[in-house]
Amino acid sequence: LISPLTSHANIAEILLCHSNPKTMFHHSHPKVRNINAIDANREHGLSLRFRLAATHATSPWVLQIDDDQEITHGALDRLLGEFSTNPRRIVGRYGRTYRDNVWNRARHGYNTPW
């Protein structure tokens, strides 16, 4: 997961949020900031990723990736290209669409063509 992010020219920093003491590790790289979030995880739970992005990220745009997802340079390029068409919206590989008063899981949500 980390290698494609550290080597991508458009990724300025990577916040590694360590919220589980059993899986915590330290990754040393100039773009990587390791954050011990074990205590914060107890307080904020699933909203922790949004809180840390808001309080620790130095870029106005944040890409959130779970630790069990892998992303390639090509996928990053497509994601950033789609985001550049309207940077005031959420873009992602998967998403939801609201149609006929129902949230539908969409494989390519948020109008993302890939």
Side-chain angles (χ1 to χ4, degrees), residues 2 9-10 19-20 23 30 34 46 48 52 54 80-82 93 96-97 106 113:
I2 298 173
N10 291 316
S19 58
N20 184 340
T23 60
N34 292 273
L46 294 175
L48 177 64
L52 289 179
L80 294 170
E82 182 64 26
R93 178 80 165 108
R96 297 180 182 173
T97 56

Side-chain angles (χ1 to χ4, degrees), residues 63 71 74-86 89-97 99 105-114:
L63 171 66
I71 192 163
L76 275 169
D77 291 339
R78 289 190 302 276
L79 180 77
L80 294 170
E82 182 64 26
F83 177 73
S84 70
T85 65
N86 181 358
R89 68 184 174 129
I90 296 172
V91 176
R93 178 80 165 108
Y94 301 100
R96 297 180 182 173
T97 56
R99 208 172 307 141
R105 290 279 281 147
R107 177 166 171 75
H108 304 294
Y110 308 113
N111 297 321
T112 307
W114 43 276

Side-chain angles (χ1 to χ4, degrees), residues 2-15 29 31 58-65 71-84:
I2 298 173
S3 179
L5 298 174
T6 57
S7 62
H8 198 283
N10 291 316
I11 302 293
E13 70 177 335
I14 301 161
L15 305 178
H29 188 278
K31 288 186 177 183
T58 60
S59 172
W61 300 299
V62 175
L63 171 66
Q64 295 188 351
I65 304 173
I71 192 163
T72 65
H73 273 251
L76 275 169
D77 291 339
R78 289 190 302 276
L79 180 77
L80 294 170
E82 182 64 26
F83 177 73
S84 70

Side-chain angles (χ1 to χ4, degrees), residues 23-41:
T23 60
M24 189 169 178
F25 65 95
H26 180 85
H27 188 83
S28 184
H29 188 278
K31 288 186 177 183
V32 174
R33 289 179 32 211
N34 292 273
I35 300 171
N36 181 338
I38 295 168
D39 292 335
N41 186 50

